[in-house]
């Protein structure tokens, strides 16, 4: 072999090694954290906490959280969230509830930039960091005797630590406090050693089902430090956790009743997608898709959730859906969207956020339902056909009614939704994948110029989203990504008033890569047509854009005291009593265009700062219907759902046709959201 050939081969080898090295560090060259080799590069990257501010109705929602239970839970629930909590060094509650609260309070504090809330967060963060021992363990480390209303055992359980890892990740994102990195490094070394002796299921089974929360934190640290042993820990966590991939492929669990706990499902459904970053086999993504399809078919409800009260319980619209499931499913969808860029996850996220979440918590954010029903005609203290019963309080509104996990965990829903409205892209661009009024500060373009983007919209009630770009530089080139929802077939984009003719198909991302100048505007129009979907017993739900619409049943709220015998369910609760008929069906409209059957009316004289109740519902849909005489109340619920098909219920000749008013599901309390279809 000649010297020239040897030299050529050597240069090729050097070039290969340089390219490989560049590929490995590529994710770390920008200001935002992407996956480090060999993890699969993500199409979207989470932005630092505080980069995204809420505006409009979303800001009002966060303010109500601050003034309500989220900002005051230490006062309202002092026996658990007070100084005795084990995560503050006390002898009280040692398990999940304290970390749950801070997992929502911390992002709320930094998104609002509220010093009062930050001061409430700080003792929890400081104690957690300072609790770390020489071997890497952190958190409460002593069990105590039972005490009513507290969880004082299993202090060493892996599961509560997973929630606190999420808290500390967010704290680092907002503050860059390097102590978090040190804690993670030492704790994950501890886990790698101890999990072989005391696996995830050693203390309780919860950690096995929720290992994805631990796994995503391990990858987060790996992307910062590049420590290879973290990938060994990732494999171990995946191996010791519940094998969701096999579960979804085999299909038995999601196609049967009581196969899995509803919150475990909401948290665990992301595990195959999270692990896919380390083992990019399409099998993991396909399994999750199959899982969602089976949830929809066998357990799904129109608000984006599923019958799970507390175990999976089918798709009857009177089965309950737990509040913890809603906020945890939202978090799972947010993480899966970031990893895959799959628009279906964004569509599903909006469906839960705009329908299931606002209806299950009172306007003042001081009371919530443990379970909600898709067809909910009466909210009473009584035992329902759920597969669990907590003192007959599972459906009523209260601070501690049902089970107090939701009292602790509901707070993460809106703050994390806000945090995931916007993402960075690998090409130093920005992406608006979920829509709500907000403002973004981000570094964009090759020059890493600070850019501010204001998003002005009344979405999801209105069809128009307006973006305005502000910067000090004269011009900066970067890609701007915008999601086109799967339900929207005729989206329109205008830049500074001029029509943009690029690709904007339903269910895709429109990407505009150009030089942007200070004052540039983008107007995204997403026409919302009325559509219907089919559910339990062939009933239909009415939809417009991301919103499901429900019959507005007049209601009377009644506050009641629990009495001394039931104080563990709080001092009070609310029942909600119907003040009008609810048992309506909709005549079969066959192949007719829904626009000829349903009429959309926009109400101008409502409080747009807080649209989430029946009084302020900004949009209504009118449709004619008829009562079904033998569809009556049973055990406080809508009785067995009349079946809808060609051989189903016929129109009652003796019942007059009635004009029905439907309001957004999220604005309702008592409702019918799945309507029987009446054949002629």
């Amino acid at each position: 072999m000649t010297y020239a050939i040897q030299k050529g081969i050597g240069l090729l080898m050097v070039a290969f090694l340089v390219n490989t090295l560049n590929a490995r560090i590529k994710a770390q060259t920008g200001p935002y954290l992407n996956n480090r080799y060999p993890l699969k590069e993500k199409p979207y990257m989470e932005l630092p906490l505080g980069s995204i501010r809420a505006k409009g109705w979303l800001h009002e929602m966060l303010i109500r959280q601050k003034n309500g239970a989220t900002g005051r839970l230490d006062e309202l629930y002092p026996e658990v969230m007070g100084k005795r909590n084990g995560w503050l060094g006390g002898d009280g509650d040692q398990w999940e509830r304290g970390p749950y609260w801070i997992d929502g309070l911390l992002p709320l504090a930094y998104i609002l930039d509220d010093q009062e809330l930050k001061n409430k967060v700080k003792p929890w963060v400081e104690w957690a960091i300072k609790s770390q021992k020489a071997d890497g363990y952190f958190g409460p480390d002593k069990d105590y005797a039972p005490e009513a209303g507290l969880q004082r055992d299993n202090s060493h359980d892996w599961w509560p630590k997973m929630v606190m890892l999420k808290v500390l990740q967010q704290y680092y994102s907002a503050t860059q406090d390097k102590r978090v990195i040190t804690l993670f490094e030492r704790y994950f070394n501890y886990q790698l050693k101890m999990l072989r002796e005391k696996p995830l299921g050693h203390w309780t089974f919860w950690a096995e089902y929720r290992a994805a929360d631990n796994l995503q934190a391990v990858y987060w640290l790996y992307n910062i430090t590049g420590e290879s042993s973290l990938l060994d820990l990732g494999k171990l966590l995946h191996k010791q956790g519940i094998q969701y991939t096999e579960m979804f492929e085999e299909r038995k669990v999601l196609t049967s009743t009581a196969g899995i706990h509803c919150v475990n499902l909401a948290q665990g459904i992301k595990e195959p997608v999270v692990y896919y970053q380390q083992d990019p086999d399409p099998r993991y993504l396909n399994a999750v898709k199959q899982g969602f399809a089976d949830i929809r078919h066998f357990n799904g409800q129109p608000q984006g959730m599923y019958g799970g009260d507390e175990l999976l319980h089918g798709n009857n619209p009177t089965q309950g859906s737990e509040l913890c499931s809603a906020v945890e499913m939202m978090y799972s969808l947010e993480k899966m969207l970031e990893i895959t860029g799959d628009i279906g996850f964004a569509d599903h996220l909006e469906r839960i956020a705009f329908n299931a979440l606002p209806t299950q918590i009172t306007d003042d954010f001081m009371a919530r339902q443990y379970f909600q029903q898709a067809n909910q005609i009466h909210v009473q203290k009584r035992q329902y056909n759920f597969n669990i019963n907590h003192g007959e309080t599972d459906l009523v509104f209260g601070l501690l009614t049902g089970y107090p996990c939701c009292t602790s965990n509901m707070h993460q829903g809106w703050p994390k939704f806000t945090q995931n409205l916007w993402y960075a892209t690998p090409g130093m661009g920005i992406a608006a994948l979920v829509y709500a009024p907000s403002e973004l500060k981000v570094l964009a373009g090759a020059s890493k110029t600070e850019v501010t983007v204001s998003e002005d919209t009344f979405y999801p009630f209105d069809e128009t989203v307006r973006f305005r770009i502000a910067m000090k530089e004269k011009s900066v080139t970067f890609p701007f990504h915008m999601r086109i929802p799967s339900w929207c077939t005729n989206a329109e984009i205008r830049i500074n008033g001029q029509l943009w003719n690029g690709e904007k198909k339903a269910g895709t991302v429109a990407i505009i890569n150009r030089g942007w100048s200070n004052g540039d505007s983008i107007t995204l129009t997403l026409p919302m047509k009325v559509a219907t979907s089919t559910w339990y017993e062939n009933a239909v739900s009415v939809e417009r854009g991301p919103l499901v619409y429900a019959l507005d049943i007049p209601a009377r709220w009644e506050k009641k005291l629990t009495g001394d015998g039931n104080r563990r369910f709080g001092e009070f609760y609310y029942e909600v009593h119907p003040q009008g008929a609810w048992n309506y069906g909709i005549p079969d409209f066959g192949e007719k265009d829904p626009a000829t059957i349903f009429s959309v009316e926009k109400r101008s004289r409502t409080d747009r700062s807080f649209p989430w109740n029946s009084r302020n519902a900004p949009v209504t849909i009118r449709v004619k219907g008829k009562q079904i005489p033998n569809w009556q109340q049973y055990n406080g619920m809508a009785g067995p759902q009349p079946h809808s098909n060609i051989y189903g219920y016929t129109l009652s000749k003796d019942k007059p046709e009635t004009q029905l008013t439907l309001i957004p599901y999220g604005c309702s309390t008592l409702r019918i959201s799945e309507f029987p279809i009446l054949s002629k």
Side-chain angles (χ1 to χ4, degrees), residues 285-404:
L285 304 185
N286 294 336
V288 170
K289 289 289 189 179
Q290 182 62 60
F292 273 113
D294 283 341
I295 291 171
R296 165 65 171 87
H297 184 75
F298 295 98
N299 301 279
Q301 295 180 346
Q303 83 284 46
M305 293 305 299
Y306 46 85
D309 50 25
E310 290 181 354
L311 302 179
L312 211 58
H313 204 167
N315 55 3
N316 191 320
T318 59
Q319 296 309 144
S321 178
E322 187 178 334
L323 178 54
C324 277
S325 295
V327 296
E328 291 292 357
M329 182 61 84
M330 287 173 63
Y331 178 70
S332 289
L333 290 163
E334 288 156 2
K335 299 311 291 184
M336 292 189 290
L337 174 60
E338 176 187 336
I339 293 166
T340 67
D342 190 318
I343 294 309
F345 294 141
D347 291 340
H348 197 161
L349 172 61
E350 286 191 350
R351 197 174 184 97
I352 296 172
F354 298 147
N355 296 284
L357 183 58
T359 189
Q360 207 158 353
I361 306 172
T362 55
D363 293 354
D364 59 4
F365 224 89
M366 289 289 283
R368 86 290 177 275
Q369 288 179 293
Y370 189 50
F371 299 140
Q372 64 169 284
Q373 296 172 306
N375 279 3
Q376 183 169 278
I377 65 165
H378 204 168
V379 172
Q380 296 173 285
K381 182 177 179 291
R382 65 186 299 164
Q383 186 167 347
Y384 291 91
N385 185 37
F386 305 146
N387 54 36
I388 200 164
N389 175 35
H390 297 101
E392 302 182 344
T393 67
D394 290 305
L395 200 61
V396 296
F397 286 85
L399 184 66
L400 298 176
T401 48
Y403 196 70

Side-chain angles (χ1 to χ4, degrees), residues 106 109-110 112-123:
L106 189 148
Y110 283 93
L112 291 177
D113 195 19
D114 187 287
Q115 192 59 48
E116 180 185 0
L117 297 185
K118 291 178 185 178
N119 291 342
K120 289 198 175 191
V121 166
K122 187 174 181 180

Side-chain angles (χ1 to χ4, degrees), residues 391-427:
E392 302 182 344
T393 67
D394 290 305
L395 200 61
V396 296
F397 286 85
L399 184 66
L400 298 176
T401 48
Y403 196 70
C405 60
C406 292
T407 303
S408 309
N409 195 22
M410 65 179 179
H411 315 281
Q412 67 170 310
W414 288 118
K416 290 184 182 176
F417 177 79
T418 304
Q419 175 64 13
N420 287 277
L421 294 173
W422 293 88
Y423 296 88
T425 74

Side-chain angles (χ1 to χ4, degrees), residues 568-587:
R568 73 186 183 99
F569 301 113
E571 297 181 358
F572 68 92
Y573 62 90
Y574 291 99
E575 292 188 335
V576 188
H577 307 286
Q579 303 296 292
W582 56 268
N583 55 340
Y584 290 98
I586 297 175

Side-chain angles (χ1 to χ4, degrees), residues 29-162:
T29 57
Y32 305 118
L33 200 64
N34 205 322
N35 279 338
R36 182 190 291 265
Y37 182 88
L39 297 183
K40 184 175 177 60
E41 186 181 55
K42 295 183 292 187
Y44 297 107
M45 296 170 282
E46 186 175 354
L47 293 163
L49 185 60
S51 301
I52 304 165
R53 304 289 187 195
K55 295 170 60 178
W57 67 259
L58 184 56
H59 180 261
E60 175 65 20
M61 189 68 79
L62 299 184
I63 293 297
R64 289 180 182 231
Q65 277 199 238
K66 173 197 170 180
N67 296 331
T70 306
R72 299 174 51 197
L73 205 58
D74 50 343
E75 309 163 29
L76 301 170
Y77 196 19
E79 58 269 35
V80 170
M81 302 305 177
K83 294 180 179 180
R84 285 188 62 199
N85 191 283
W87 286 93
L88 294 173
D91 66 348
D93 202 281
Q94 306 292 309
W95 210 50
E96 66 181 5
R97 294 180 196 170
Y100 263 161
W101 176 40
I102 306 304
D103 192 31
L105 181 64
L106 189 148
L108 179 68
Y110 283 93
I111 289 170
L112 291 177
D113 195 19
D114 187 287
Q115 192 59 48
E116 180 185 0
L117 297 185
K118 291 178 185 178
N119 291 342
K120 289 198 175 191
V121 166
K122 187 174 181 180
W124 297 80
V125 170
E126 291 295 326
W127 189 89
I129 292 174
K130 293 173 183 177
S131 72
Q132 190 163 45
K133 300 184 180 302
D135 63 359
Y137 178 86
F138 82 105
D141 65 349
K142 182 179 179 181
D143 291 344
Y144 296 90
E147 184 176 331
L150 301 181
Q151 296 170 310
R152 303 177 81 211
D153 59 350
N154 294 318
S155 61
H156 284 78
D157 188 10
W158 300 108
W159 156 235
K161 313 292 191 299
M162 298 180 191

Side-chain angles (χ1 to χ4, degrees), residues 448-468:
K448 299 179 180 142
T449 300
E450 182 173 280
V451 175
T452 299
V453 185
S454 297
E455 179 178 352
D456 296 308
T457 183
F458 197 45
Y459 188 90
F461 306 100
D462 191 64
E463 301 172 324
T464 303
V465 184
R466 295 180 177 87
F467 304 98
R468 184 166 292 277

